[in-house]
């Protein structure tokens, strides 16, 4: 029995399909004659004619793989196209685009589009093949962008660098150095100790960098035995931000994520960093020296200070309740630099992302024309008991009321110093002390009508303490 011969399928590449279209346009050959020349069927030539516009668009784009025979569309075509657009922008800016950077950007774009997508190495290989992408040469970043020259337009637009629009909201960061009287009390302005706090966040409000508190040299006693890695914030003994160290760490963190980000800086700070060694992943964007626009929205800074003061008043009230007859000024003297570090971290965590986004937009620092959300988060928490809204507002803005010496007085300790050793330092707590404190805290909760939600938080803390005690 003779087997029937089956015609072998012959697929044409993109380059061959363009040749087919040229033959049909420039000669009088029929589709059947062209099909015989290319050894394909006439219906295949007909389909090529129907897809003429798409094929010519792919050919003219210069990014399509011209040896591709079949165009397999990705399930995530929107991410595919957005990543390709970002890639072309990156190449025009001579960025060092790497595979991990593309994977990170693809995931970021998927989150923005609301798609549940985790890019893999295989997906990236196929994406590069589909779009004719190859890493032929590697580039390093150019020098920092110069500030935009003043114009006759609005102040916000006149002060922003021309390159601001080239960064996504997730990759544009603002930072500012904030003076803070860390143990101030209402009505006592002239005797407060001052520290500097560095705040940094991106314009989307999705990333807030770890708080840095400087000027705690006189508070060194309270840090005895404390592990800096275990603290929720960083600290520096001298009154002044260690910009070179902080920026180097920021640059390393962004490099590990495969990102290129921009950092808004005040013109004065940018001048001080003029001799800093080149950064690979962070672009410094100085604002105009003649302008009044902050490098982090002022409403974000005020929200941080309001939450800090709110927490400080709660701590002062707790100290007063612990020691009967203690004045507010005496309670303030019992607040240590370590307390300030924790309160600063807690206050920064309470600044809502919605407020950061809306503040960047309102103050003209947003890289894109993002719509302003109608649900704007409040800038300040409610005034604590005993203070009116005006009194609390003045307390929040305490640093702006007049010149105060920045020297931090040496902390002399608190009432717990009675149990201190001969060297003047309080003995470090043991595992038994920690477990005993947990039992005391739970008993106090049980006797004071605590809510179930607070018990859930306590259980999580209890479990972690018990785990650490078993190490």
């Amino acid at each position: 029995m003779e087997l029937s011969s089956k015609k072998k399928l012959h697929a044409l590449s993109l380059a061959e399909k363009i040749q087919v279209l040229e033959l049909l346009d420039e000669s009088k050959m029929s589709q059947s004659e062209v099909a015989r020349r290319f050894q394909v069927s006439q219906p295949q030539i007909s389909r090529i004619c129907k897809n003429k516009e798409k094929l010519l668009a792919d050919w003219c784009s210069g990014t399509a793989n011209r040896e591709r025979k079949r165009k397999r569309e990705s399930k995530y075509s929107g991410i595919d196209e957005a990543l390709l657009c970002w890639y072309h922008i990156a190449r025009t800016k001579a960025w060092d685009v790497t595979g991990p950077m593309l994977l990170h950007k693809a995931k970021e774009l998927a989150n923005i589009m609301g798609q549940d997508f985790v890019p893999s190495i295989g997906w990236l290989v196929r994406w590069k093949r589909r779009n004719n992408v190859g890493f032929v040469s590697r580039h390093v970043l150019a020098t920092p962008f110069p500030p935009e020259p003043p114009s006759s337009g609005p102040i916000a637009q006149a002060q922003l660098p021309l390159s601001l629009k080239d960064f996504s909201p997730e990759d544009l960061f603002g930072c500012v150095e904030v003076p803070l009287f860390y143990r101030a009390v209402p009505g006592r302005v002239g005797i407060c100790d001052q520290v500097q706090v560095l705040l940094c966040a991106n314009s989307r409000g999705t990333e807030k960098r770890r708080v840095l508190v400087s000027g705690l040299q006189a508070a060194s006693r309270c840090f005895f035995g404390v592990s800096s890695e275990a603290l929720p914030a960083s600290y520096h003994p001298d009154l002044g931000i260690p910009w070179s160290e902080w920026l180097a760490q920021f640059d390393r963190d962004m490099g590990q994520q495969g990102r290129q980000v921009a950092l808004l800086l005040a013109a004065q700070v940018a001048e001080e960093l003029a001799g800093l060694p080149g950064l690979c992943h962070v672009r410094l964007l100085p604002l105009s020296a003649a302008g009044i626009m902050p490098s982090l929205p002022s409403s974000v800074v005020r929200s941080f200070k309001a939450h800090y003061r709110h927490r400080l008043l709660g701590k002062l009230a707790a100290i007063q309740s612990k020691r009967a007859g203690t004045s507010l000024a005496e309670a303030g003297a019992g607040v240590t630099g370590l307390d300030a570090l924790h309160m600063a971290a807690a206050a920064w965590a309470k600044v809502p992302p919605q407020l950061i986004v809306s503040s960047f937009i309102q103050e003209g620092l947003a890289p894109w024309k993002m719509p302003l959300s109608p649900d704007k988060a409040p800038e300040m928490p409610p005034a604590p008991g005993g203070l009116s809204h005006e009194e609390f507002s003045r307390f929040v803005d305490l640093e702006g009321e007049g010149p105060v010496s920045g020297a931090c007085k040496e902390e002399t300790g608190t009432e717990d110093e009675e149990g201190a050793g001969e060297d003047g330092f309080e003995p470090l707590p043991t595992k038994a002390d920690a477990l005993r404190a947990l039992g005391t805290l739970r008993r106090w909760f049980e006797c004071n009508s605590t809510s179930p939600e607070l018990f859930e938080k306590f259980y999580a803390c209890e479990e972690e303490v018990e785990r650490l005690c078993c190490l």
Side-chain angles (χ1 to χ4, degrees):
M1 180 178 176
E2 186 178 351
L3 294 175
S4 60
S5 60
K6 195 171 185 180
K7 188 174 181 180
K8 186 178 179 181
L9 180 64
H10 180 204
L12 299 179
S13 67
L14 177 60
E16 290 172 327
K17 290 176 182 176
I18 297 300
Q19 290 179 17
V20 167
L21 293 173
E22 289 175 349
L23 274 177
L24 290 173
D25 286 343
E26 296 174 1
S27 67
K28 296 183 179 180
M29 295 177 66
S30 65
Q31 290 187 3
S32 299
E33 290 173 327
V34 173
R36 284 194 295 271
R37 172 173 292 196
F38 285 90
Q39 298 180 351
V40 295
S41 64
Q42 186 273 330
Q44 188 174 344
I45 300 299
S46 178
R47 286 194 296 271
I48 292 173
C49 293
K50 288 180 181 178
N51 296 323
K52 178 179 179 179
E53 292 184 3
K54 284 186 177 181
L55 292 170
L56 289 175
D58 284 350
W59 180 264
C60 295
S61 68
T63 60
N65 183 355
R66 298 187 175 187
E67 300 305 316
R68 181 200 70 214
K69 295 191 175 182
R70 294 181 182 83
K71 187 175 181 180
R72 295 181 176 89
E73 296 290 348
S74 169
K75 290 192 297 182
Y76 305 98
S77 56
I79 301 172
D80 219 323
E81 294 174 4
L83 183 62
L84 184 61
C85 180
W86 179 87
Y87 170 78
H88 289 312
I89 293 174
R91 298 306 289 173
T92 59
K93 293 185 173 297
W95 289 354
D96 184 10
V97 181
T98 63
M101 188 187 299
L102 287 169
L103 290 172
H104 172 82
K105 198 65 187 180
K107 178 60 179 172
E108 192 177 87
L109 292 168
N111 293 338
I112 294 174
M113 296 178 182
Q115 296 192 35
D116 186 14
F117 171 64
V118 179
S120 63
I121 297 295
W123 176 87
L124 181 60
V125 170
R126 293 189 294 273
W127 177 86
K128 289 166 62 179
R129 188 182 299 129
R130 280 194 302 271
N131 297 291
N132 198 28
V133 170
F135 305 143
V136 178
S137 59
R138 301 175 70 84
H139 302 272
V140 295
L141 289 175
T143 55
F145 296 122
E148 183 181 6
S151 66
S152 58
I155 184 171
Q157 297 302 322
Q159 293 178 358
L160 291 182
L162 289 171
S163 56
L164 188 63
K165 61 182 179 299
D166 296 326
F167 292 88
S168 67
E170 292 79 9
D171 292 335
L172 177 72
F173 287 78
C175 71
V176 69
E177 187 177 351
V178 182
L180 183 70
F181 299 140
Y182 74 93
R183 50 181 177 181
V185 297
R188 303 294 293 270
V189 181
I191 59 172
C192 311
D193 295 322
Q194 179 174 320
V195 294
Q196 298 293 116
V197 181
L198 181 63
L199 304 177
C200 179
N202 69 348
S203 64
R204 181 71 79 178
T206 53
E207 289 182 67
K208 289 187 280 188
R209 298 285 296 173
R210 181 182 171 96
V211 172
L212 172 65
V213 182
S214 69
L216 296 173
Q217 190 168 18
S220 57
R221 293 180 60 188
C222 63
F223 289 94
F224 172 68
V226 175
S227 170
S228 59
E229 289 79 12
L231 293 175
S234 305
Y235 69 91
H236 186 68
D238 299 326
L239 187 61
I241 301 299
W243 283 105
S244 58
E245 298 173 17
W246 185 84
L247 279 171
Q249 183 61 52
F250 189 19
D251 192 63
R252 284 193 295 271
D253 292 344
M254 295 301 99
Q256 290 174 357
Q257 298 177 27
R259 298 169 65 186
Q260 301 284 349
V261 301
L263 179 66
L264 292 170
L265 282 177
Q268 181 181 358
V269 176
E271 289 177 5
E272 295 173 1
L273 299 175
L276 193 69
L279 301 172
C280 298
H281 303 278
V282 177
R283 307 289 292 271
L284 303 182
L285 305 184
L287 294 174
S288 172
I292 58 173
M293 183 178 295
S295 48
L296 188 71
S298 54
S299 52
V300 175
V301 174
R302 195 163 192 267
S303 177
F304 162 76
K305 291 173 63 176
H307 285 291
Y308 182 90
R309 299 280 194 238
H310 193 278
R311 182 71 189 90
L312 175 61
L313 289 175
K315 182 169 284 293
L316 294 176
I319 293 175
Q320 285 184 301
S321 66
K322 184 178 180 180
R323 292 181 287 168
T326 302
S327 68
L328 200 59
E330 291 171 334
V335 176
T336 68
L338 189 57
D339 294 331
L341 202 72
H342 285 282
M343 289 190 290
W348 186 228
K350 282 184 175 292
V351 176
Q354 305 97 306
L355 175 65
I356 296 176
V357 174
S358 59
S359 299
F360 266 88
I361 296 172
Q362 287 182 336
E363 299 199 20
L365 292 170
W368 303 102
K369 293 183 179 179
M370 298 183 295
L372 189 62
S373 172
D375 303 324
K376 182 183 177 182
E379 181 178 313
M380 294 177 59
L387 288 180
S388 66
H389 178 76
E390 290 75 16
E391 290 172 331
F392 181 57
S393 182
R394 284 198 300 271
F395 185 45
V396 169
D397 299 326
L398 195 61
E399 287 76 13
E401 292 191 0
V404 181
S405 173
C408 183
K409 298 180 181 179
E410 185 175 358
E411 295 177 353
T412 56
T414 62
E415 78 285 355
D416 295 328
E417 212 173 44
E418 297 173 359
E422 294 181 358
D423 56 0
F425 292 105
E426 183 183 354
L428 300 181
T430 63
K431 294 180 180 180
D433 293 334
L435 294 173
R436 190 159 45 248
L438 279 177
T440 303
L441 183 59
R442 187 179 68 183
R443 184 62 178 157
W444 189 84
F445 283 161
E446 293 166 348
C447 298
N448 286 274
S449 304
T450 303
S451 65
E453 291 79 12
L454 187 54
F455 265 116
E456 291 177 6
K457 296 178 182 178
F458 171 76
Y459 296 148
C461 178
E462 183 181 43
E463 183 179 357
E464 182 62 17
V465 171
E466 290 172 347
R467 184 189 69 81
L468 291 172
C469 288
C470 293
L471 295 177

